[in-house]
Amino acid sequence: MIRTMKQKLTSVLLAILILTLPTAALLADEPVGNSQNTVQTQDPSHTQEDPSGNHEEGEDLPYWSVIPFVLILLCIALLPIVSQTTSHWWESNTNKLILALVLGAVSFIILVLHGWFGKIVHTLVFEYVPFIILLGVLFYISGGIRLKGDIEATPLNNTIFLIIGTFLASFIGTTGASMLLIRPILKTNSERKHVVHTVVFFIFLVSNIGGSLTPLGDPPLFLGYLIGVPFTWTFKLLPELLIASILLLILYFIWDTIVYKKESVKDLKKDHVHKEKISLEGQVNFIWLLGVVLSVAYLNQNYIPAINENPYIAFIREGVLIGLIFASKFTTKGHVREHNKFTLHPIQEVAYLFIGIFITMIPALILLEHHGKELGVTETWQFFWVTGLFSGVLDNAPTYLTFYLWRKEL
């Protein structure tokens, strides 16, 4: 009972914070522009204008101002694995929110003292809020789709699962595609002994690579969209997506074929007998997911010119997205999400952590904007390896934003 009350309290506090951000923006000394005021018509890596429209300049920041950003990323990476005590502490979303707010408060004070209050408000209002709303909408609507059934866990069937998931990830998000397919693929392979590699390749393809084609696919790409990268720019990544996916799918098929032959005859017979026709529940949610795609693609300043005059009009998009949540709720039978074991815990975790990440990374972004050229990373191959390294040990969303702005300044 107490735990439930704590969860509700933290959710209410976060909701109040989000709802008061627009008011704070109106009270800021400097005008806070929309994150998409400037229409980009060229490769975003060569853009010279700040698409955010936020031209506030405060004092230069000390290098140590990035410490809270480093600390929050280290906590995310290490606390779950350092010890059983820290792992248990980290399980609580309330503790994650406390950590995020404490470190965020340190960065907040540093930024305000150096004249960057408008930058904080801009980041939270025009980047954090749309970011969390989109993730929440994709998460909730996808949770209303249930794929049930149990087919034979042959290498071909497993590979088809991965192909479908890789394709869907760009349109319903890597989280949505993973939610939709992970239980069916685990159930399909439940009679087999060798299944770990299937989960690993699922993570590679469905939970990561598959989200490369649209801003809906992966959180960093949506952040790029919010700061001016055109919606269709990521379509250029199709060749890279195909090469990476095809290579991994071939490797997976060969691997699964080899280990499939190691399965016992008894298990394979059981797998053959325990079959259930594949079927879908909650299909109406595909309509709402299409609504998400259309909202993100068309509810912007390119199609609503008034946004250029009043950036808050852009929140029409978020209003529509929230409406799609209610549409999903009232058109989906309750048992669908129950069978999916759907909870808001994962999206709460993201919302709590990222409010800290968004605030604490502001000093890092400002320093890179002012001093990025001094770091010596200027060539494409250098960015390839450095961003890959950082994404491997840190979250890819702040890595994307950091190096996008860094590259833009060169």
Side-chain angles (χ1 to χ4, degrees):
M1 180 70 177
I2 295 176
R3 184 176 181 179
T4 302
M5 290 179 63
K6 285 175 64 180
Q7 291 176 343
K8 289 182 178 179
L9 179 60
T10 51
S11 298
V12 169
L13 288 173
L14 188 64
I16 292 172
L17 176 63
I18 291 175
L19 291 173
T20 55
L21 286 174
T23 303
L26 293 173
L27 297 175
D29 292 333
E30 296 290 337
V32 181
N34 181 27
S35 59
Q36 293 185 14
N37 276 355
T38 302
V39 180
Q40 273 190 311
T41 57
Q42 58 181 345
D43 188 313
S45 64
H46 295 90
T47 302
Q48 298 301 317
E49 295 291 329
D50 180 2
S52 69
N54 180 30
H55 302 294
E56 177 201 14
E57 286 290 337
E59 301 173 10
D60 201 6
L61 293 170
Y63 287 109
W64 54 262
S65 62
V66 303
I67 291 177
F69 181 50
V70 174
L71 287 177
I72 195 170
L73 294 178
L74 286 175
C75 288
I76 293 171
L78 298 178
L79 287 182
I81 61 174
V82 168
S83 68
Q84 188 173 356
T85 301
T86 60
S87 176
H88 179 70
W89 185 87
W90 190 250
E91 290 174 0
S92 168
N93 278 344
T94 302
N95 292 337
K96 294 185 181 79
L97 179 61
I98 292 171
L99 175 72
L101 292 180
V102 168
L103 293 175
V106 175
S107 293
F108 182 91
I109 293 171
I110 294 171
L111 290 164
V112 170
L113 291 177
H114 288 81
W116 291 99
F117 176 69
K119 179 69 172 177
I120 301 171
V121 176
H122 174 271
T123 298
L124 293 178
V125 173
F126 292 105
E127 294 175 14
Y128 173 77
V129 171
F131 173 78
I132 291 301
I133 288 177
L134 177 69
L135 289 186
V137 170
L138 289 173
F139 180 77
Y140 188 83
I141 296 177
S142 299
I145 303 172
R146 183 189 178 205
L147 180 64
K148 57 181 182 178
D150 186 357
I151 58 178
E152 283 192 75
T154 64
L156 178 60
N157 285 340
N158 283 338
T159 303
I160 291 173
F161 256 118
L162 295 180
I163 292 173
I164 293 172
T166 303
F167 171 78
L168 285 177
S170 282
F171 301 97
I172 66 174
T174 51
T175 301
S178 299
M179 283 179 55
L180 178 63
L181 293 175
I182 188 61
R183 286 191 178 88
I185 200 170
L186 289 177
K187 184 177 180 181
T188 292
N189 286 269
S190 59
E191 291 84 11
R192 289 182 52 177
K193 295 291 191 297
H194 303 89
V195 295
V196 173
H197 67 288
T198 297
V199 177
V200 172
F201 277 86
F202 184 94
I203 293 171
F204 287 160
L205 289 158
V206 182
S207 304
N208 286 279
I209 295 173
S212 302
L213 281 187
T214 74
L216 298 170
D218 215 22
L221 299 181
F222 185 65
L223 287 177
Y225 173 70
L226 290 176
I227 61 175
V229 178
F231 184 87
T232 57
W233 184 86
T234 46
F235 293 173
K236 298 178 182 179
L237 300 176
L238 180 60
E240 289 84 353
L241 171 67
L242 290 176
I243 291 172
S245 299
I246 290 172
L247 288 175
L248 283 172
L249 287 166
I250 291 173
L251 178 60
Y252 171 78
F253 182 79
I254 294 172
W255 191 330
D256 199 42
T257 300
I258 293 172
V259 297
Y260 185 75
K261 295 176 181 178
K262 297 180 180 179
E263 302 287 351
S264 68
V265 175
K266 179 182 178 181
D267 288 338
L268 293 180
K269 284 184 177 179
K270 187 188 299 183
D271 182 43
H272 179 73
V273 172
H274 294 166
K275 290 191 295 185
E276 180 185 347
K277 186 179 179 181
I278 292 290
S279 61
L280 269 175
E281 287 186 299
Q283 298 96 318
V284 67
N285 285 289
F286 284 109
I287 297 176
W288 311 135
L289 287 171
L290 177 61
V292 174
V293 175
L294 296 176
S295 298
V296 174
Y298 292 105
L299 295 181
N300 54 53
Q301 83 290 339
N302 294 334
Y303 299 93
I304 307 176
I307 292 175
N308 292 315
E309 301 298 326
N310 184 352
Y312 291 96
I313 295 176
F315 283 97
I316 292 174
R317 177 185 60 212
E318 278 62 50
V320 171
L321 293 177
I322 292 172
L324 292 172
I325 287 182
F326 287 100
S328 175
K329 178 178 176 60
F330 292 117
T331 58
T332 306
K333 295 179 180 179
H335 74 271
V336 175
R337 287 190 172 87
E338 290 178 8
H339 282 297
N340 282 339
K341 298 180 181 178
F342 178 86
T343 72
L344 293 176
H345 187 275
I347 200 65
Q348 286 177 334
E349 177 181 11
V350 173
Y352 295 169
L353 286 175
F354 268 86
I355 194 168
I357 290 174
F358 269 74
I359 296 174
T360 58
M361 74 178 175
I362 294 174
L365 296 179
I366 292 172
L367 285 170
L368 281 175
E369 187 174 350
H370 290 177
H371 306 286
K373 295 179 182 178
E374 302 170 11
L375 299 178
V377 179
T378 57
E379 301 297 328
T380 301
W381 68 269
Q382 292 174 317
F383 276 92
F384 176 83
W385 287 106
V386 173
T387 54
L389 176 63
F390 274 75
S391 292
V393 295
L394 307 176
D395 189 270
N396 55 6
T399 298
Y400 179 101
L401 274 185
T402 300
F403 284 91
Y404 169 81
L405 294 176
W406 183 351
R407 180 69 179 88
K408 192 184 70 172
E409 292 302 314
L410 297 178

